[in-house]
Amino acid sequence: MSGQTAEESLMAQRLVQALGLEHIAPEAIAPTAPLFGGGAGSVGLDSIDALEIALMIQQQYGVELRSDDAAVKSAFASLRSLTGHVLQRRT
């Protein structure tokens, strides 16, 4: 059991697909694990991945993640924070 909510599970599936992360099962992404960086438990994404995520979110959810929005940086902290941020701003 991954501990993901239904919306987090969908987001994880979309992240894996959009980023071509064949080596990561969507259900293996812990909801509170860091998405970026190389630390233990991190998904290990980088700045290029962030651009791909922003594009996928705009296409799939109609939410624009702007770099000048202070809340966006914290939204990229984990699967849970990203999903919550997107759901709050969904059109």
Side-chain angles (χ1 to χ4, degrees):
M1 180 74 184
S2 69
Q4 297 174 351
T5 66
E7 288 294 338
E8 289 167 350
S9 177
L10 180 59
M11 180 68 78
Q13 291 170 23
R14 289 177 170 170
L15 287 174
V16 167
Q17 181 180 20
L19 300 174
L21 303 173
E22 295 86 17
H23 63 285
I24 298 177
E27 61 275 7
I29 300 174
T32 58
L35 292 176
F36 295 86
S42 170
V43 179
L45 303 181
D46 61 26
S47 59
I48 301 298
D49 295 323
L51 296 172
E52 292 292 328
I53 292 169
L55 179 61
M56 178 276 292
I57 287 174
Q58 188 170 14
Q59 292 172 340
Q60 296 291 323
Y61 294 95
V63 174
E64 185 176 354
L65 299 178
R66 299 173 46 104
S67 61
D68 61 348
D69 182 347
V72 169
K73 184 174 181 177
S74 63
F76 276 95
S78 67
L79 176 64
R80 180 156 291 155
S81 61
L82 182 63
T83 303
H85 180 85
V86 169
L87 293 178
Q88 287 177 348
R89 288 157 180 80
R90 186 180 220 170
T91 56

